[in-house]
Amino acid sequence: MIGVLGLLLALTAPPDSAEAPCPWGEVITRAEIEASGATTLHDLFRLQSVLQTLTVDGFDRQPVAPWGAAAGAPVRLLIDGAPAAGTTSIEPLGVETLPVALREVARVVVCPGPGVAGGRFGGAWLDVQTEPPPSVAYGAVSYGNETGDPGPDRYLRPDLPNVDHWGPDFEAALALRRGPSAAWATLRDRGFFPTDTAMAARVFDAVEGFPARSETVGAFAARIPGTHIRVGGVRGGDLPYLPAVVREVPVSRRALGATALVRRQRGRLAMRGHTHLARLSLQRPAWSTLPLDPAWTETRADLALSTFYGRGGASAAAGASLEHVAAEGPDLRNGSASAGRLWGQVERRRPLAAQSLTVQGALSESGGALSASLDARQRLQPNLALRLTLAAHETLPEEMPDASYWISRGYTGLALDRVELRVRQPRPATRLLARVGVTARLGRAHLAAVVDGQRTREDVLLTRAEATETAPAGLVRQSLADGSAVRGALTAMWSRRRVSVRASGTVQAATGGNAAFREVWRRRPVAAAALRGTIRPDARLALWARLAAQSATEWTGFPTPHVPAAVLLDLGLSKRAWGDRLRASLSGRNVLGAQEQTHPLGATLAPRLLIRLEVQL
Amino acid sequence: MRRLLFLLVVLAPSAAAQEGDWRTVEPALGAAVALGGGFGPEWEAEPSLDISAAVPAYGGHARLALRVGSYEAQAPGLPAFLAVAPSLGWGVGTGSGGLEVRAGPQVGVLHLRFEEAAGFGGNLQNETEVTVGAWAHVSLPVVRRLRLWAEADVRRVAFAEPATIAAASGGLAVRLGTPDWLQSLVR
């Protein structure tokens, strides 16, 4: 019986990366990205079970960390282990603005944390690890359509709404290689028309003409041994949902950033450093009809250095980082936020056991913060291992400033008459975590079971809104969420030559805390499970399927607070041809037609079909 | 639609690569007539053009098909429209004495391009929607490589008010050895 169970259950390969080791996370591989028929970066979230995601319109998804109180608990976005920026700090995090193309993605490490990544110790992160496109020239076009268009009936029943569609999207790349060095440039053009009935009134009220989210993302990357450089930019007209105003806001988006990552090895000593500079802005476009102009500009600078020394069964690492944000916006009194950190880590490894201790001190104008983590691993039997993590993490407001941070400093660019904002200077967030996990290998199967408990104290934004004809009106106020929660997760994988299957399940719930904490945790699904698998009839054809279920969530304070449970079936087909120069993919998402919704003001995404055609020469 | 998707999932594991895959290609040309369903009494389907190409693949036959036809408005003030329906299908079959029968599922899109309609100037001039369906195909050798074929197919169009389109079609096909360059292209 155990053997049968072992064949059915498994664990992914250890998702470590040189830049961001992550023992508790998952890896999304290039092979699965292609098999799934993914056409967008945010679709990759369907290939992982670590992070919950939120989307109002379906264009992009905001990752939510598994620990922490806030429904939008911050997740760090990294490219090749270094910070990356595409969205400003006054809007929810998104991945579609990252300066990276889908074709560049070699794998994605999705990590719940805690750990050291991007030059600092902290909570969850998502690391997009890139590789140069394998060919000199690459081009792709993709298109997606949600079902439910009126068809000819629109001439008989004008009340029938139009439905969302994606694209046509374009992606192109040029790459040059010489020995171990490579340089490449990519361009990604994205478009989305958000016309779902759940938000049609809001978006049509906010724009002149037809509502669209369109952006062009470009990047140039160069890689010589030990050095990575990436320069990227975003430009477009966008319509993101901003929680502070409880609606979609038309913006003209501009972003330009550069990252340099350097690694050096001298005997047993390894050194690593990165610098990241970015300038991002959101302005009111001419096609906006809202009396609202974010008039927002921010400049980010990030510098980090770290060293690693290993000898025998022991190693030590230490690092320092400095982050600075300089922002400009209407009535903003002080647009400067800086934070510095020092961290150290010691690790001892023996044949059957390892322990590590990480300590970080952070300093900003709000004061100081101390974080620490203890990690212990013990191999109990050749195929059975135990792991324990204890962590205490404190985040200063200046480390990840968000809309409420800037509003507390006087910023009025997001002020609307119909929405009252009550925000004060956020306090440091504290999180305590205890996690224990078991991993086992049974033949071809891997299994991991993890249980963690957490205690959190942090500021969150809570909404009390009432429905109006167009957009909700009401109150958005900052509250202190203080409480504890538990979470259990089971992950399993089994694979043979042509078939791989992965199953995961998560149960989580608040066990105590104040009203704000419990309210935020009701926004999270208590239970989620997913089963996904790939069949490869030959080396060039892949058939992929994912069956996922998620329990209902409650969003107190919204006009329709109940977000229903859903069972989603996704299908993917990918076929390579012409000696791998050509790839066509066909994917269906939510093909059973469940009510796919993650936010009470959001779209209920209907079944959709996406097609992608790639040529590389 | 759910049954068809279930069928797809169940059939997928049996779709292993075979030795004879891609060795022949069968381009076909024909005409189709609507059998029923459609978009209501306001529009009437004209005979449409069918173009397809089928190849043995993964234990059955894969095929790309394109159907192009027009719908004439039956009420004043409504626009006529052109319907373009590309589809991708795969099916299994059997044969005896030259007679071959195949059937399977298909997925595609239906693209409609409307003529200008008085009073609807503000509307977009096209619509695109997903289709899922099934097809059954029978063919007989006529002379040498030429084959006579007939087919029935049904598609469910996922409009807000889902529509079902059924059609019968027939025509001629030629069974050719797939040129090496084409085999290397599609393999």
Side-chain angles (χ1 to χ4, degrees):
Chain A
M1 182 63 192
I2 290 175
V4 173
L5 187 68
L7 287 172
L8 293 173
L9 305 177
L11 165 73
T12 53
D16 283 343
S17 97
E19 304 301 337
C22 175
W24 299 104
E26 294 180 9
V27 169
I28 303 169
T29 63
R30 176 82 217 159
E32 189 168 13
I33 292 171
E34 293 194 355
S36 71
T39 63
T40 58
L41 288 173
H42 74 259
D43 202 32
L44 304 188
F45 284 121
R46 295 176 105 85
L47 311 183
Q48 56 86 43
S49 57
V50 174
L51 304 175
Q52 178 198 348
T53 60
L54 295 175
T55 179
V56 174
D57 62 9
F59 174 72
D60 202 350
R61 285 175 182 266
Q62 177 194 5
V64 178
W67 59 312
V75 174
R76 287 176 287 159
L77 297 183
L78 310 173
I79 296 178
D80 294 321
T87 49
T88 64
S89 56
I90 62 169
E91 60 187 319
L93 206 60
V95 293
E96 285 302 332
T97 50
L98 283 178
V100 66
L102 190 61
R103 185 60 191 92
E104 289 179 88
V105 180
R107 62 180 197 160
V108 181
V109 176
V110 190
C111 190
V116 176
R120 55 187 277 200
F121 172 80
W125 69 83
L126 186 140
D127 184 18
V128 180
Q129 297 177 5
T130 66
E131 63 182 4
S135 56
V136 173
Y138 166 86
V141 59
S142 54
Y143 179 81
N145 195 79
E146 190 175 323
T147 60
D149 265 313
D153 277 352
R154 71 182 184 187
Y155 295 100
L156 305 172
R157 292 181 50 193
D159 59 306
L160 286 175
N162 218 319
V163 301
D164 304 338
H165 71 259
W166 290 256
D169 299 340
F170 302 97
E171 198 171 302
L174 287 172
L176 293 173
R177 291 166 179 267
R178 177 161 296 195
S181 302
W184 67 98
T186 62
L187 195 67
R188 181 163 59 94
D189 187 71
R190 300 267 296 109
F192 174 69
F193 298 90
T195 52
D196 189 280
T197 47
M199 60 206 179
R202 297 199 301 272
V203 296
F204 278 100
D205 177 58
V207 304
E208 281 178 7
F210 205 76
R213 301 186 68 176
S214 60
E215 61 197 17
T216 304
V217 182
F220 170 79
R223 188 170 292 186
I224 58 173
T227 304
H228 292 188
I229 293 170
R230 177 173 291 269
V231 179
V234 184
R235 184 187 175 94
D238 208 350
L239 199 51
Y241 172 83
L242 301 186
V245 285
V246 205
R247 69 167 303 150
E248 291 75 10
V249 176
V251 294
S252 173
R253 181 190 301 282
R254 302 281 186 277
L256 184 64
T259 306
L261 181 68
V262 179
R263 295 190 203 96
R264 293 289 182 269
Q265 184 87 32
R266 297 280 184 272
R268 291 193 174 97
L269 187 69
M271 288 161 286
R272 179 192 180 281
H274 75 246
T275 182
H276 172 67
L277 288 168
R279 186 169 173 83
L280 309 101
S281 75
L282 292 182
Q283 307 293 335
R284 182 181 189 273
W287 44 275
S288 173
T289 59
L290 288 187
L292 185 150
D293 184 3
W296 181 259
T297 304
E298 70 182 64
T299 304
R300 294 188 205 174
D302 182 309
L303 179 68
L305 291 168
S306 53
T307 59
F308 303 85
Y309 182 81
R311 185 173 184 177
S315 65
S321 69
L322 187 63
E323 280 181 78
H324 177 72
V325 180
E328 295 170 33
D331 304 316
L332 185 60
R333 291 188 298 273
N334 178 2
S336 174
S338 302
R341 300 178 199 89
L342 286 172
W343 61 269
Q345 187 177 67
V346 290
E347 185 174 34
R348 188 176 67 155
R349 285 185 300 275
R350 288 174 295 170
L352 296 178
Q355 299 87 32
S356 71
L357 174 68
T358 309
V359 177
Q360 176 178 275
L363 196 64
S364 75
E365 65 183 72
S366 295
L370 196 63
S371 300
S373 168
L374 180 69
D375 187 64
R377 287 162 278 164
Q378 180 73 47
R379 186 167 293 281
L380 304 173
Q381 290 181 17
N383 293 333
L384 186 67
L386 185 70
R387 187 159 197 153
L388 173 73
T389 295
L390 298 172
H393 185 231
E394 191 169 10
T395 308
L396 298 168
E398 286 74 19
E399 292 191 84
M400 294 188 89
D402 58 9
S404 57
Y405 178 85
W406 301 115
I407 292 167
S408 74
R409 291 185 165 201
Y411 174 58
T412 56
L414 296 181
L416 271 180
D417 288 344
R418 67 177 74 173
V419 178
E420 182 186 350
L421 274 165
R422 282 190 211 156
V423 174
R424 52 173 158 62
Q425 169 80 20
R427 289 159 285 203
T430 57
R431 301 174 187 116
L432 303 174
L433 177 80
R435 179 182 292 152
V436 61
V438 178
T439 58
R441 185 185 179 96
L442 297 165
R444 294 177 181 276
H446 299 255
L447 172 69
V450 177
V451 176
D452 64 38
Q454 56 178 293
R455 172 90 193 181
T456 302
R457 183 181 167 88
E458 65 181 293
D459 283 313
V460 295
L461 284 183
L462 296 178
T463 303
R464 293 286 176 271
E466 57 190 50
T468 65
E469 195 172 321
T470 53
L475 168 68
V476 177
R477 75 164 196 279
Q478 192 180 42
S479 301
L480 180 68
D482 187 354
S484 54
V486 293
R487 181 173 184 270
L490 186 69
T491 310
M493 192 176 84
W494 175 81
S495 66
R496 292 192 68 178
R497 193 163 52 92
R498 284 169 39 184
V499 180
S500 64
V501 180
R502 184 192 168 95
S504 62
T506 305
V507 178
Q508 58 184 6
T511 53
N514 64 11
F517 185 85
R518 290 197 305 273
E519 182 174 331
V520 168
W521 269 80
R522 282 196 294 271
R523 298 178 184 179
R524 296 180 174 221
V526 170
L531 174 69
R532 63 181 201 262
T534 305
I535 300 166
R536 298 179 186 279
D538 64 25
R540 289 185 170 147
L541 177 70
L543 304 168
W544 176 90
R546 170 184 177 264
L547 184 66
Q550 182 171 298
S551 62
T553 57
E554 294 294 330
W555 293 64
T556 306
F558 284 86
T560 311
H562 184 70
V563 174
V567 176
L568 307 175
L569 177 64
D570 300 334
L571 299 173
L573 181 154
S574 172
K575 167 69 181 161
R576 289 185 168 276
W578 193 17
D580 287 346
R581 295 181 193 89
L582 192 70
R583 189 176 79 87
S585 71
L586 193 64
S587 58
R589 297 291 181 259
N590 184 20
V591 296
L592 295 181
Q595 191 171 341
E596 183 182 356
Q597 186 183 11
T598 59
H599 192 281
L601 296 178
T604 53
L605 300 167
R608 47 211 184 272
L609 181 74
L610 300 110
I611 298 167
R612 184 175 175 92
L613 189 65
E614 300 179 353
V615 180
Q616 54 187 24
L617 303 169
Chain B
M1 179 174 166
R2 291 184 190 194
R3 286 176 193 161
L4 282 169
L5 290 167
F6 179 74
L7 191 66
L8 270 174
V9 173
V10 170
L11 286 175
S14 67
Q18 306 288 315
E19 186 62 30
D21 284 358
W22 318 106
R23 294 286 169 83
T24 61
V25 59
E26 197 171 295
L29 187 67
V33 292
L35 286 180
F39 307 111
E42 289 82 7
W43 285 276
E44 187 174 294
E46 300 286 306
S48 55
L49 177 72
D50 260 25
I51 304 170
S52 67
V55 291
Y58 304 109
H61 277 77
R63 65 174 205 165
L64 272 171
L66 179 71
R67 177 170 294 162
V68 182
S70 61
Y71 283 75
E72 293 301 322
Q74 302 300 301
L78 291 176
F81 60 86
L82 182 73
V84 182
S87 64
L88 175 67
W90 180 85
V92 291
T94 184
S96 176
L99 176 75
E100 290 183 6
V101 181
R102 297 175 209 148
Q106 63 180 354
V107 61
V109 293
L110 176 64
H111 179 74
L112 307 182
R113 298 197 70 84
F114 297 96
E115 290 180 354
E116 284 287 349
F120 293 96
N123 282 311
L124 298 173
Q125 294 298 305
N126 59 73
E127 289 265 0
T128 305
E129 195 48 90
V130 174
T131 66
V132 180
W135 54 278
H137 176 104
V138 58
S139 70
L140 276 169
V142 178
V143 54
R144 295 170 65 90
R145 296 177 173 185
L146 198 64
R147 300 181 72 83
L148 183 69
W149 62 269
E151 186 173 307
D153 75 278
V154 61
R155 302 171 200 224
R156 185 80 166 160
V157 191
F159 285 133
E161 299 289 342
T164 302
I165 304 173
S169 53
L172 292 171
V174 186
R175 182 163 297 172
L176 305 168
T178 308
D180 289 344
W181 65 268
L182 189 56
Q183 281 195 51
S184 63
L185 179 75
V186 297
R187 274 184 190 276

